[in-house]
């Protein structure tokens, strides 16, 4: 188990230059075939977006990978996010974590994933078992 | 409350889900790897339970799924993202017990809270929660998921 203390940080680039192929691969794996995420015409005409954007859960999934790459696949006890901005084709996402509390073997970790302009796309919190 | 449904956790589905997130961890794909053996077999990424959508009979966000009878009407109030004006606002998981490849999960969902907020650029925002529980073949609760969906009166840039 990871040894963590308050103030510890971790960050990693999770995807560079998000492509429609990345988005479609996530759609197929997750089963979420909302046309907003793969059909430009639908994204424009159905909802007035400039085009397709990635699933919020794609960004959350990448943020989760940052946590499991760092802490292992069975460390998390909680993980929650708010979706703060859409991820568009061409974006590069960096996931960041900071330990804000450690108590009774559980670390509380603030997470934020940002795009290439430093704008957050997801913000949230995880809790993980630590040694 | 919707009818519970079965969600068999298949090794290939886990591998494909992990791969879609750029994750090549052997614990998500190779039962013979020392890493997977050390933790009792292949396990699942933190957001894997989203792929229960493939097994959810009335899942509204796959309009081309072959079905008997008409596609379910998307009401935009199921707590997830939605077609058109619906967006996924928040997602939260509690992890109680690991999910392993080969598990036969049962999925139950129920509506949670609903609330309304005034949007920053005018227009009402309607939020609704869905709580989903994933139990394994031994009846052990593995994951509790809480999804918050929001319906907007017009397309908005989130945030």
């Amino acid at each position: 188990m990871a040894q963590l203390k308050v103030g510890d940080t971790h960050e990693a680039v999770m995807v560079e230059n998000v492509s429609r192929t990345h988005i479609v691969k996530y759609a197929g794996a997750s089963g979420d075939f909302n046309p907003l995420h793969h059909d430009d015409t639908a994204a424009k005409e159905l909802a007035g977006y400039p085009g397709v954007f990635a699933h919020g859960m794609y960004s959350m999934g990448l943020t989760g990978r940052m946590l499991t790459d760092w802490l292992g696949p069975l460390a998390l006890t909680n993980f929650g996010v708010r979706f703060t901005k859409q991820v568009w084709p061409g974006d590069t996402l960096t996931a960041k974590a900071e330990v804000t509390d450690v108590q009774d073997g559980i670390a509380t970790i603030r997470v934020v994933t940002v795009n290439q302009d430093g704008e957050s796309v997801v913000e949230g919190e995880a809790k993980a078992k630590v040694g | 409350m919707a009818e519970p449904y079965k969600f068999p956790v298949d090794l290939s589905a886990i591998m494909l889900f992990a791969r879609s997130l750029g994750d090549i961890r052997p614990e998500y794909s190779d039962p013979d790897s020392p890493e997977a053996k050390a933790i009792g077999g292949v396990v699942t990424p933190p957001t894997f339970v989203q792929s229960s959508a493939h097994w959810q009979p009335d899942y509204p966000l796959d309009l081309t799924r072959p079905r008997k009878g008409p596609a379910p009407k998307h009401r935009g109030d199921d707590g997830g993202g939605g077609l058109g004006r619906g967006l996924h606002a928040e997602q939260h998981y509690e992890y109680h017990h690991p999910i392993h490849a080969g598990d036969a999960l049962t999925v139950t969902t129920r509506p949670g809270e609903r609330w309304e907020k005034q949007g920053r650029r005018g227009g009402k925002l309607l939020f609704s929660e869905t709580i989903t529980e994933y139990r394994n073949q031994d009846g052990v609760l593995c994951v509790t998921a809480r999804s918050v969906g929001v319906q907007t009166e017009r397309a908005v840039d989130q945030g």
Side-chain angles (χ1 to χ4, degrees):
Chain A
M1 260 187 278
Q3 307 285 323
L4 293 180
K5 58 182 190 308
V6 172
D8 283 354
T9 60
H10 178 75
E11 73 171 69
V13 175
M14 303 317 295
V15 61
E16 290 183 59
N17 192 13
V18 171
S19 67
R20 285 169 168 76
T21 308
H22 285 116
I23 298 172
V24 165
K25 192 180 277 191
Y26 181 78
S30 68
D32 183 341
F33 291 102
N34 187 334
L36 292 183
H37 302 306
H38 61 260
D39 183 338
D40 264 324
T41 307
K44 288 173 190 162
E45 289 176 6
L46 198 62
Y49 291 105
V52 298
F53 55 96
H55 308 72
M57 288 307 300
Y58 177 64
S59 307
M60 184 179 191
L62 293 173
T63 308
R65 176 159 69 85
M66 176 273 289
L67 291 168
T68 53
D69 284 351
W70 182 33
L71 304 170
L74 295 180
L76 296 184
T77 64
N78 296 75
F79 180 30
V81 302
R82 280 190 312 123
F83 302 102
T84 50
K85 192 170 186 10
Q86 277 109 340
V87 170
W88 305 98
D91 281 358
T92 288
L93 301 181
T94 303
K96 304 178 178 193
E98 180 180 359
V99 178
T100 57
D101 186 51
V102 181
Q103 253 184 72
D104 304 326
I106 300 284
T108 302
I109 301 163
R110 185 163 61 222
V111 297
V112 57
T113 294
V114 300
N115 65 18
Q116 63 284 356
D117 298 320
E119 300 166 312
S120 73
V121 299
V122 303
E123 294 176 9
E125 193 177 271
K127 290 182 190 289
K129 289 173 265 187
V130 291
Chain B
M1 172 158 352
E3 282 294 300
Y5 60 93
K6 299 285 184 197
F7 174 26
V9 178
D10 168 71
L11 176 62
S12 291
I14 301 170
M15 182 276 278
L16 289 171
F17 189 88
R19 184 180 284 177
S20 78
L21 297 173
D23 202 327
I24 55 167
R25 205 176 243 290
E27 292 97 322
Y28 298 150
S29 59
D30 182 0
D32 299 323
S33 65
E35 293 89 344
K37 283 183 170 169
I39 57 171
V42 166
V43 293
T44 57
T47 61
F48 173 76
V49 291
Q50 287 305 112
S51 70
S52 60
H54 287 294
W55 293 90
Q56 183 184 333
D58 59 349
Y59 184 66
L61 298 179
D62 182 0
L63 300 174
T64 57
R65 182 183 297 183
R67 353 175 153 254
K68 293 175 187 159
K73 256 281 198 258
H74 183 63
R75 303 179 312 275
D77 59 355
D78 65 346
L83 299 171
R85 297 282 184 262
L87 286 172
H88 197 174
E90 295 179 33
Q91 182 67 41
H92 303 267
Y93 298 107
E94 291 169 41
Y95 304 104
H96 312 286
H97 186 81
I99 296 172
H100 288 96
D103 278 358
L105 301 182
T106 298
V107 185
T108 54
T109 60
R110 62 175 193 272
E113 302 288 308
R114 287 164 177 273
W115 64 98
E116 223 177 84
K117 243 167 78 173
Q118 200 60 35
R120 207 179 291 174
R121 271 163 270 178
K124 256 179 229 161
L125 302 174
L126 308 169
F127 292 86
S128 58
E129 277 181 348
T130 303
I131 315 294
T132 307
E133 293 181 337
Y134 298 83
R135 283 189 170 72
N136 71 16
Q137 57 283 356
D138 301 318
V140 176
L141 179 61
C142 296
V143 175
T144 306
R146 179 166 64 88
S147 172
V148 181
V150 60
Q151 290 291 117
T152 59
E153 287 184 333
R154 57 190 168 82
V156 288
D157 199 22
Q158 289 180 27

